[in-house]
Amino acid sequence: MTGRTLITPTNKYRDNDKVIGVGNAFWDLSEHNGLAGIVADLDEGLLRTQSGHEFVNFSCCSYLDLDSHPKIIEGGIDALRRYGVLDHCIARSRVQIPAMLELEASLGELFGAQAVCSIAASTATFGLLPLIASGHLGNGTRPLMIFDKNAHVSMSTVKPVCADETEVVTSRHHDLGFIEDCCKKYARVAYVCDGSDSLGGYAPVKELAELQEKYGLLVYYDDSHSVSAYGQRGIGYVRSHSPVLDERTIVVATLNKAFGTSGAVILLDGCSQQTLRVIERFGGALNYSQLLNTAAVGAGLASAEIHRTAELTTLQNRLYHNIELFDSLIQTGQAGSTFPIRLVPASDSTVVEAGRRVFEAGFYVSPVFFPIVARGTAGLRVMLRAGQTEEQIRALCSVLTEVGAPSAAAAPEPVR
Ligand SMILES: *Cc1c(COP(=O)(O)O)cnc(C)c1O
């Protein structure tokens, strides 16, 4: 048909042509090599496909293996019985059963913060960042919003929404100089980043705190990868190290990784009742979408109880022990860190083939390459967990060596 208008997108903050154009080829290649679209039953820590292939998952983020802990399973069942309802569908700002409030009280006590739960960290971020953009979560002044270039997709995807409320820019990774320059220029600045990156490494929490003290910078951290796995009572990296725990620091974390349950928690400090109400009423899906169901709440309460006991430290130490064992066998850029993720470098052209051979040997590790990671930084992403056995880790590492991973014997002293 002629004469009808075709739309030219602005693609200022997102570009599906680019993302799908480059990314889909990667997914097709992964699936073609049996490394995506896998369906398998889980039994005693081993996965088994319908065709009978057994493997250990070395790319699962349940770092402490709490998701199958008997107390957490029981906690879910117990709460379902106690509340007698899975969910009571109505916006929480109108009517709610006290289940999620019970979990929020428990998590608030556990982490020493004001805790607000949501069904996912993604949902929390989608609710909170636009409120930060408009200044309603903060001091009332619209901030320049700086998104770290590596910010997890759950955050970067909210850029266009924030950009309708304020100015949005993307910074290089942890570019403190750029952030400080912006602080000098703008009345208010908010910086959005991961507390612990999905490819290893932590945020420069102390240096950011200096900017917070000096300029009133607001920092929004997604600490999903370190909550439970790191720190006293599993408080996570950011809250273990940030000297600024007040309204200038907002932490969101999934409960679906090391915490071992479902949902997410927002950790706030010094927030007025009024602000908490604004979050509850205007935080988008935090209000209109479903709450954590009672099974998830009960599992969360049970996990929080485990976090209060010495068992958490035992599990964390087992995780660290496994990380050290891995580091003693395979050389990676993350060696020596407490972070549970290791990227075993490989080239863009060989990484999927390497992943396929490792899978055939009985281990799943996800191949990552451009555009999941920057060009030239492809590799196999290995995640260590508390529940993996020494035998499994040693066996994985010998297969990794066979497919070309550098052995740690040749490694320089790790940087701590
Ligand atoms: C895994 C992950 C998420 C997703 O968490 P959900 O609670 O499932 O939305 C969000 N952010 C980061 C940094 C993650 O690693």
Side-chain angles (χ1 to χ4, degrees):
M1 232 181 276
T2 54
R4 293 168 69 177
T5 307
L6 289 174
I7 290 165
T8 307
T10 55
N11 289 134
K12 238 179 124 178
Y13 301 100
R14 55 176 299 138
D15 186 349
N16 276 352
D17 279 347
K18 194 169 147 193
V19 171
I20 297 173
V22 183
N24 217 22
F26 154 75
W27 282 110
D28 285 344
L29 183 65
S30 294
E31 189 162 336
H32 187 72
N33 279 274
L35 297 173
I38 299 167
V39 180
D41 282 313
L42 184 59
D43 183 17
E44 307 260 321
L46 267 190
L47 286 149
R48 191 176 303 108
T49 64
Q50 291 230 305
S51 61
H53 181 60
E54 282 191 345
F55 61 98
V56 182
N57 192 350
F58 268 88
S59 277
C60 169
C61 301
S62 183
Y63 303 121
L64 302 180
D65 287 285
L66 283 172
D67 53 354
S68 56
H69 193 293
K71 284 187 179 160
I72 286 179
I73 307 282
E74 278 310 311
I77 296 166
D78 172 65
L80 258 178
R81 294 233 162 83
R82 202 153 46 86
Y83 283 102
V85 62
L86 183 68
D87 187 20
H88 187 69
C89 181
I90 177 172
R92 82 177 302 196
S93 51
R94 298 184 186 279
V95 180
Q96 64 183 315
I97 58 168
M100 205 157 90
L101 291 169
E102 189 184 347
L103 181 60
E104 287 170 342
S106 175
L107 294 177
E109 190 282 328
L110 180 70
F111 295 134
Q114 294 165 303
V116 178
C117 285
S118 75
I119 51 163
S122 312
T123 309
T125 292
F126 218 100
L128 294 182
L129 290 185
L131 291 177
I132 291 174
S134 63
H136 290 92
L137 181 50
N139 67 356
T141 304
R142 280 168 200 276
L144 169 74
M145 275 184 95
I146 306 175
F147 283 75
D148 191 276
K149 175 175 153 289
N150 291 8
H152 186 262
V153 61
S154 58
M155 294 175 274
S156 62
T157 200
V158 198
K159 281 182 202 176
V161 182
C162 295
D164 219 26
E165 294 283 357
T166 191
E167 276 181 48
V168 168
V169 293
T170 304
S171 73
R172 285 187 308 183
H173 189 42
H174 297 162
D175 191 346
L176 294 161
F178 175 78
I179 299 167
E180 179 156 20
D181 286 346
C182 292
C183 287
K184 287 178 182 159
K185 194 167 155 209
Y186 284 82
R188 177 82 165 162
V189 177
Y191 174 56
V192 179
C193 69
D194 293 47
S196 36
D197 291 9
S198 56
L199 287 174
Y202 296 111
V205 169
K206 291 226 167 75
E207 292 81 353
L208 285 167
E210 284 170 24
L211 299 181
Q212 292 181 286
E213 295 286 14
K214 205 164 163 194
Y215 303 100
L217 171 73
L218 188 156
V219 186
Y220 184 90
Y221 290 108
D222 182 335
D223 213 8
S224 288
H225 280 291
S226 84
V227 157
S228 303
Y230 188 99
Q232 276 206 341
R233 290 181 151 203
I235 196 167
Y237 185 83
V238 171
R239 291 186 69 90
S240 295
H241 295 284
S242 178
V244 179
L245 291 180
D246 57 27
E247 68 286 352
R248 293 168 295 181
T249 302
I250 296 171
V251 176
V252 64
T254 189
L255 298 178
N256 191 228
K257 291 192 165 117
F259 192 81
T261 68
S262 301
V265 65
I266 302 160
L267 298 171
L268 304 155
D269 302 88
C271 243
S272 65
Q273 268 308 316
Q274 208 181 345
T275 304
L276 289 172
R277 281 285 178 267
V278 167
I279 293 172
E280 183 178 302
R281 292 173 183 164
F282 300 98
L286 291 174
N287 186 31
Y288 69 70
S289 188
Q290 59 193 289
L291 306 190
L292 282 181
N293 66 50
T294 43
V297 166
L301 290 168
S303 181
E305 274 320 305
I306 294 170
H307 280 64
R308 291 183 173 93
T309 66
E311 185 176 357
L312 184 83
T313 321
T314 306
L315 289 172
Q316 286 179 335
N317 287 340
R318 235 178 252 163
L319 170 66
Y320 297 154
H321 177 80
N322 284 348
I323 295 170
E324 277 173 24
L325 174 63
F326 183 89
D327 283 348
S328 74
L329 298 166
I330 300 286
Q331 184 185 339
T332 64
Q334 297 80 35
S337 133
T338 51
F339 200 77
I341 304 177
R342 295 291 180 267
L343 185 70
V344 179
S347 73
D348 278 341
S349 59
T350 60
V351 68
V352 172
E353 166 65 13
R356 189 180 63 75
R357 284 174 59 192
V358 173
F359 186 58
E360 278 168 6
F363 306 98
Y364 182 82
V365 290
S366 28
V368 292
F369 59 89
F370 183 80
I372 293 183
V373 294
R375 279 184 205 277
T377 58
L380 296 172
R381 189 159 57 179
V382 178
M383 300 188 183
L384 282 311
R385 286 183 282 119
Q388 289 151 345
T389 65
E390 177 168 341
E391 194 187 346
Q392 288 169 345
I393 294 168
R394 286 190 185 279
L396 168 74
C397 291
S398 78
V399 186
L400 286 173
T401 313
E402 279 168 32
V403 301
S407 115
E413 274 297 293
V415 193
R416 283 195 189 255

